Amino acid sequence: WKLVKVGEYVTSVKGKKPRRTSPFKTNEYSIPYVNIKAFEKNVIDEYTDGVGCVLCEEEDFLMVWDGSRSGYVGKAIKGALGSTLVKLNFPNLDNNYAYYFLQSKFIEINTRAKGVGIPHVDPNILWNYKLPIPPLPEQQSIVSKIEELLSDLENGKQQLKLAQQQLKIYRQSLLKWAFEGRFGYAQRPSNSVKDGELPKGWTWVKLGELMESVRNGYSKKPDDKGSIKILRISSVRPYKIHLDDTRFMEHDINSENLISENDLLFTRYNGSPDFVGVSARVPQINERIYYPDKLIRCRPINKETFHSKYLEYASNCGDSRKFVISKLKTTAGQTGISGSEVKQIPIPLAPLLEQHLIVQELDCKLTVCDKIEETISHSLKQAETLRQSILKKAFEGKLVKMLNTDNC
């Protein structure tokens, strides 16, 4: 083995923005422009004539030099290199050996990027890495072992992601079954309720009929001074409110904008339609917390006809959610819904005792789902840590030792 500094060994060229581009491929504009989108997603949406461009070939390596993904490395596609990318070549090295070496440095390069506005790779870090170069046969052996281990790891990750998807489908099925009356004191078989019909004893009501008030929150922008808490819009997600996701106000505000236990909070605006009109129930709280105008507070009537958590479950799924989606409107990139439309959300209201039993059943089963989801997410994070460990050991000369140990 020998050690060389990356900067003294590699050849590198930074890309350039083409002088002329076209959104369509023509005889004149026939060269793909390899920007970040083309590089990471293999989606080409611009072509150039190649004048004044830096060209790259499929055997080249590219590194993202500028932006949040700075330090990310991948294999090139043939075309004209974008201005935020750098082409790298390692002479007399197994290409995949060099590729995995650069991948092993991504996290460090990315987290130590320079720049206040747009981060970029710190060349003092990259060029001063010591590149270990073993004999070519050993390079190939190391690459082979890396790919074997990473393939096994990727298979494991795909199984975890499949389990995540199956868990999502199971959650949806639980909610569907709940509002078909298949939980509770009068459990019904799956074919006992026709599509579009409610179980016997249930009725459709409008959400507003069950509410004492439906109103938007505090309209002034928080100044992040003082100690008065006000929720962010991101604090509300389906079935979950994050009471620690807050900003701060310096001066007290109208008590009408306080939240209380059992209030339902709906998101009024969001950049993503998936998070508009979703609701979460406020749990027991022991402090004063306000809510902003991008949330809608629905305060239930003090009546013994419904369970507030039942309303939380019902309003986020089935026909209730379909109604919300049908009312969404997008303006200036923000999707929204009004309080008057929230009042009209149809709720399948079961008898009170059955509501309690449905909530109890859903709480139990969805808690199990949450724990499984947490385990899967943790395992996926561990998989990424293991990936980095494999790459690190490979370039410390320890992967061959691992092989010898495994065979003992």
Side-chain angles (χ1 to χ4, degrees):
W1 292 58
K2 64 179 180 179
L3 286 174
V4 298
K5 283 188 176 181
V6 169
E8 297 172 357
Y9 191 83
V10 69
T11 59
S12 65
V13 184
K14 199 168 192 296
K16 295 180 181 179
K17 175 71 176 176
R19 295 174 186 172
R20 299 186 299 173
T21 60
S22 166
F24 307 104
K25 185 176 182 180
T26 66
N27 290 334
E28 183 180 5
Y29 297 95
S30 60
I31 301 173
Y33 176 46
V34 186
N35 55 19
I36 292 290
K37 186 176 181 180
F39 171 52
E40 291 197 327
K41 300 180 180 179
N42 202 27
V43 176
I44 298 167
D45 52 18
E46 287 185 89
Y47 295 85
T48 180
D49 57 6
V51 175
C53 295
V54 174
L55 301 180
C56 56
E57 302 292 335
E58 291 182 354
E59 63 268 18
D60 294 329
F61 294 117
L62 304 184
M63 178 177 282
V64 178
W65 200 261
D66 305 298
S68 61
R69 296 279 283 164
S70 57
Y72 176 80
V73 66
K75 296 178 181 180
I77 57 177
K78 188 172 182 177
L81 190 61
S83 59
T84 60
L85 298 166
V86 167
K87 177 173 68 171
L88 302 170
N89 280 307
F90 289 78
N92 304 317
L93 275 188
D94 181 290
N95 275 354
N96 285 322
Y97 180 86
Y99 170 64
Y100 287 124
F101 173 78
L102 292 174
Q103 280 202 337
S104 75
K105 303 299 183 184
F106 166 63
I107 292 177
E108 184 177 10
I109 293 172
N110 183 261
T111 54
R112 296 177 64 186
K114 293 178 66 176
V116 178
I118 299 176
H120 58 267
V121 172
D122 186 344
N124 290 326
I125 294 175
L126 176 59
W127 303 140
N128 282 300
Y129 279 127
K130 291 183 178 179
L131 170 64
I133 304 179
L136 185 59
E138 196 162 353
Q139 292 176 36
Q140 294 167 341
S141 176
I142 290 171
V143 166
S144 177
K145 186 59 179 179
I146 288 174
E147 292 182 341
E148 177 190 337
L149 294 173
L150 293 186
S151 175
D152 291 343
L153 190 62
E154 186 59 30
N155 288 337
K157 286 174 64 177
Q158 291 305 316
Q159 290 299 315
L160 288 169
K161 289 177 181 179
L162 176 61
Q164 268 186 330
Q165 186 61 30
Q166 291 172 331
L167 194 61
K168 180 179 178 180
I169 294 170
Y170 177 63
R171 285 177 186 273
Q172 293 169 343
S173 297
L174 284 175
L175 292 162
K176 181 176 182 291
W177 296 336
F179 297 103
E180 289 176 349
R182 291 168 63 183
F183 298 155
Y185 67 80
Q187 294 183 7
R188 301 161 181 87
S190 59
N191 60 356
S192 65
V193 179
K194 296 179 181 179
D195 288 344
E197 294 184 0
L198 290 178
K200 186 178 180 180
W202 293 37
T203 183
W204 285 108
V205 298
K206 294 177 181 179
L207 184 70
E209 297 172 10
L210 307 175
M211 297 296 131
E212 173 188 301
S213 65
V214 176
R215 62 178 293 162
N216 301 341
Y218 187 66
S219 59
K220 292 184 180 179
K221 186 176 180 180
D223 51 22
D224 287 324
K225 297 177 181 178
S227 58
I228 298 170
K229 291 185 176 181
I230 183 166
L231 294 172
R232 298 176 187 266
I233 186 174
S234 55
S235 65
V236 174
R237 290 294 181 260
Y239 317 109
K240 182 69 175 178
I241 182 168
H242 301 276
L243 294 175
D244 56 348
D245 188 7
T246 60
R247 295 185 69 176
F248 292 90
M249 302 289 291
E250 188 172 18
H251 303 292
D252 204 0
I253 52 182
N254 193 329
S255 61
E256 286 294 322
N257 297 127
L258 279 168
I259 61 171
S260 300
E261 182 179 357
N262 290 327
D263 285 346
L264 282 179
L265 293 180
F266 284 79
T267 53
R268 182 171 165 232
Y269 280 105
N270 200 286
S272 170
D274 291 340
F275 293 131
V276 180
V278 300
S279 70
R281 169 183 163 273
V282 178
Q284 183 177 2
I285 54 176
N286 300 312
E287 57 182 331
R288 292 169 68 87
I289 302 178
Y290 296 82
Y291 71 103
D293 67 340
K294 286 192 174 181
L295 297 177
I296 300 170
R297 187 196 67 197
C298 295
R299 177 157 288 170
I301 298 170
N302 186 22
K303 290 176 66 177
E304 295 299 321
T305 57
F306 57 85
H307 190 304
S308 60
K309 198 165 186 181
Y310 176 90
L311 299 183
E312 175 190 40
Y313 280 130
S315 61
N316 282 301
C317 67
D319 289 339
S320 303
R321 182 60 188 165
K322 289 177 184 177
F323 174 86
V324 169
I325 292 171
S326 73
K327 298 298 180 181
L328 298 184
K329 297 179 179 64
T330 301
T331 305
Q334 288 285 309
T335 303
I337 191 169
S338 69
S340 60
E341 289 164 336
V342 167
K343 288 181 181 180
Q344 300 299 313
I345 295 174
I347 300 294
L349 197 64
L352 185 59
L353 175 59
E354 194 163 2
Q355 290 178 41
H356 282 272
L357 293 173
I358 288 170
V359 167
Q360 183 179 7
E361 191 84 6
L362 285 175
D363 280 351
C364 178
K365 286 179 165 57
L366 292 176
T367 297
V368 173
C369 289
D370 289 342
K371 289 180 179 177
I372 295 172
E373 173 69 29
E374 186 179 335
T375 300
I376 293 173
S377 297
H378 180 66
S379 296
L380 285 168
K381 290 178 181 177
Q382 285 183 317
E384 184 55 34
T385 300
L386 180 56
R387 186 180 191 281
Q388 290 300 312
S389 177
I390 290 169
L391 293 172
K392 183 174 181 290
K393 288 180 182 295
F395 298 103
E396 290 176 347
K398 295 179 180 178
L399 204 57
V400 173
K401 292 180 182 179
M402 288 167 60
L403 268 168
N404 292 338
T405 300
D406 290 345
N407 291 333
C408 288

